[in-house]
Amino acid sequence: MSDRIDVSEEASRTVSVRVPAENRHGTYANVSLVSHSGHEFTIDFCQTEPASTADPIPAYVVSRLHLPPTLIPSLISALQGNVNAYQQQFGPIVEVH
């Protein structure tokens, strides 16, 4: 038995996502930063304090994801599909500054 999976075989498999109870509430973020290296993309999700008068406004990282470059195109596609569906249901997204 081989540890390798044929790409065509892998593409036809499904994934069953399960969210542990301790993660079901999620984490709120109102700022995100994206960076990359030759090996990975890093996305930092941050929270700012709206009442802050500091300059610059501090943003605290609440979650950091390291993703392989091979995942990024499908992530962008999934986000764009969800943005389109959101806008069809609720109207255009208005950026707040």
Side-chain angles (χ1 to χ4, degrees):
M1 184 158 96
S2 172
D3 288 342
R4 298 183 61 143
I5 297 174
D6 180 50
V7 173
S8 60
E9 179 185 322
E10 187 175 312
S12 66
R13 296 174 65 192
T14 59
V15 175
S16 175
V17 176
R18 296 181 174 97
V19 180
E22 64 271 16
N23 293 340
R24 288 190 182 141
H25 66 278
T27 301
Y28 179 76
N30 56 5
V31 173
S32 62
L33 304 168
V34 179
S35 59
H36 68 278
S37 69
H39 304 285
E40 66 189 13
F41 281 76
T42 300
I43 305 174
D44 287 326
F45 293 96
C46 309
Q47 288 182 5
T48 61
E49 297 174 12
S52 176
T53 57
D55 189 19
I57 298 169
Y60 301 96
V61 174
V62 294
S63 186
R64 173 174 279 180
L65 298 178
H66 299 287
L67 304 168
T70 54
L71 182 62
I72 299 306
S74 61
L75 176 61
I76 291 169
S77 178
L79 285 169
Q80 188 60 62
N82 276 273
V83 166
N84 293 343
Y86 176 94
Q87 290 181 332
Q88 282 183 345
Q89 184 173 0
F90 302 107
I93 297 172
V94 178
E95 232 181 286
V96 179
H97 296 281

